[in-house]
Amino acid sequence: MFTAPEHQVAGHQARDGQLGPLVDGSGRFYKPFQNDERGTNELAFYTSFSSDTRIPSHIRVFFPVFHGTQLINASDGSGIHPHLVLDDLIDGLRLPSVIDLKIGARTWFPSAPDGYFRKCLAKDRESTSSLLGFRISGLQIRDDDIGFWRPSRLDVHHFQVKDVRYLLRRFVSSNAASDSELDCAFASAIYGGSEGVLAQLLDLKAWFEDQTLFHFYSVSVLIAYARDGSEDGQGPGRARVRLVDFAHVLEGNGVIDHNFLGGLCSLIKFVSEILNNPSENSNSNCVQKKDCKWSFL
């Protein structure tokens, strides 16, 4: 039984007759093979990366495990279609909060066609990519009383710096649906600690400061956690930090990927600020709740 991923927050979705990824309920994620150079490039990356002995084991955990390809029925009803078979990164998390952050001040690759270059440049300038080196591509935040809060795609496209700062706080608050000041109740457990988001991002940063194997364009950092994910069920468990979407990865040719590294450092700065000032007044006129849609469980 293949179904659309319930907690997908960005990218093409397998809904309303569209071609998108599927999950099988047993921990596998099926991403449709794109019928152009993007599909070929992503398959080549996974194939190469999976067997590359130069990748440290502690870095491999940040990448989805690749299980080859498989022909299955496409979600848009067009028939049998090849899919990349990957780990389902959200598998096992009950009612997770999820955020997708596209990394890099520039999301186009050097040899991009003119039309694609102009499209990416416009998005980078309209969003926070050019200013911050990353942007929010999508998110959902769980609230115990309401359900999930998901901003619309239109809202996401118009997020500015103050919105990013606000939403990264809201992402780890227990009162995400409240009109009161955000409490950042889960900031220490999710962002902090030896296995928290900040520590994981710093591990990635250390690798990117040295690695010259790849240049990652339009790749996202996906962060997910479940509030009742701890062993006693009373608090959040370890957050998952993963890299996703590798259709535009190029060979590094001995050069450090400063574009990705810069965006990663910027994200680290924002997370660090929240940990250092969790009680900072973060109520904002941005991302008004009345303008956004709550989805109920």
Side-chain angles (χ1 to χ4, degrees):
M1 287 292 294
F2 295 102
T3 59
E6 183 180 0
H7 303 295
Q8 181 183 349
V9 297
H12 301 288
Q13 300 189 11
R15 294 182 174 88
D16 302 322
Q18 300 180 87
L19 182 64
L22 300 167
V23 292
D24 63 6
S26 63
R28 298 289 172 88
F29 181 93
Y30 298 77
K31 183 175 182 178
F33 191 87
Q34 300 179 82
N35 292 320
D36 54 25
E37 69 277 1
R38 291 174 298 173
T40 302
N41 290 345
E42 190 157 30
L43 176 59
F45 169 76
Y46 273 117
T47 302
S48 172
F49 185 87
S50 298
S51 59
D52 196 327
T53 57
R54 297 170 295 179
I55 312 299
S57 58
H58 73 281
I59 293 300
R60 287 189 179 278
V61 300
F62 294 108
F63 293 78
V65 176
F66 177 55
H67 301 283
T69 61
Q70 186 172 331
L71 293 170
I72 64 173
N73 284 311
S75 62
D76 62 357
S78 60
I80 298 296
H81 189 88
H83 288 65
L84 302 173
V85 185
L86 310 166
D87 276 354
D88 179 0
L89 302 180
I90 311 298
D91 184 58
L93 293 181
R94 181 178 178 272
L95 308 179
S97 292
V98 184
I99 188 168
D100 183 299
L101 302 140
K102 192 173 293 293
I103 306 297
R106 51 178 287 185
T107 56
W108 73 92
F109 51 97
S111 60
D114 186 66
Y116 182 80
F117 156 73
R118 293 182 182 279
K119 176 182 176 182
C120 290
L121 180 62
K123 285 185 178 180
D124 293 345
R125 288 177 172 176
E126 292 168 1
S127 67
T128 62
S129 289
S130 295
L131 285 172
L132 299 182
F134 71 93
R135 68 174 181 254
I136 295 175
S137 292
L139 76 158
Q140 69 174 27
I141 304 174
R142 177 187 168 188
D143 181 87
D144 293 331
D145 298 323
I146 304 297
F148 287 113
W149 177 73
R150 285 181 181 238
S152 71
R153 289 200 175 202
L154 183 61
D155 289 327
V156 170
H157 291 162
H158 290 91
F159 286 163
Q160 296 304 309
V161 175
K162 63 179 181 178
D163 302 307
V164 171
R165 181 174 286 108
Y166 174 75
L167 287 167
L168 285 172
R169 289 180 175 276
R170 188 170 179 176
F171 186 66
V172 290
S173 292
S174 68
N175 60 339
S178 171
D179 289 324
S180 60
E181 180 182 339
L182 297 177
D183 60 18
C184 291
F186 307 123
S188 178
I190 298 304
Y191 289 156
S194 61
E195 296 185 336
V197 168
L198 180 59
Q200 294 180 65
L201 292 177
L202 288 172
D203 281 344
L204 273 174
K205 173 178 174 285
W207 184 62
F208 272 92
E209 287 174 333
D210 291 323
Q211 80 88 14
T212 59
L213 303 174
F214 308 104
H215 283 189
F216 294 87
Y217 293 97
S218 201
V219 171
S220 289
V221 166
L222 186 77
I223 302 173
Y225 75 93
R227 291 191 177 186
D228 54 358
S230 60
E231 291 183 3
D232 59 9
Q234 299 301 310
R238 183 177 187 266
R240 298 179 185 178
V241 176
R242 300 292 187 269
L243 301 185
V244 296
D245 297 332
F246 306 105
H248 301 299
V249 178
L250 304 181
E251 291 186 8
N253 296 320
V255 178
I256 288 175
D257 186 356
H258 292 287
N259 180 59
F260 192 95
L261 177 59
L264 195 60
C265 289
S266 179
L267 176 59
I268 286 170
K269 179 177 181 291
F270 272 69
V271 172
S272 298
E273 288 175 349
I274 296 172
L275 280 171
N276 291 332
N277 299 288
S279 60
E280 178 182 289
N281 189 334
S282 55
N283 253 3
S284 169
N285 291 326
C286 60
V287 198
Q288 293 292 332
K289 298 179 182 67
K290 62 183 175 59
D291 296 328
C292 298
K293 180 180 179 182
W294 286 93
S295 57
F296 298 90
L297 298 176

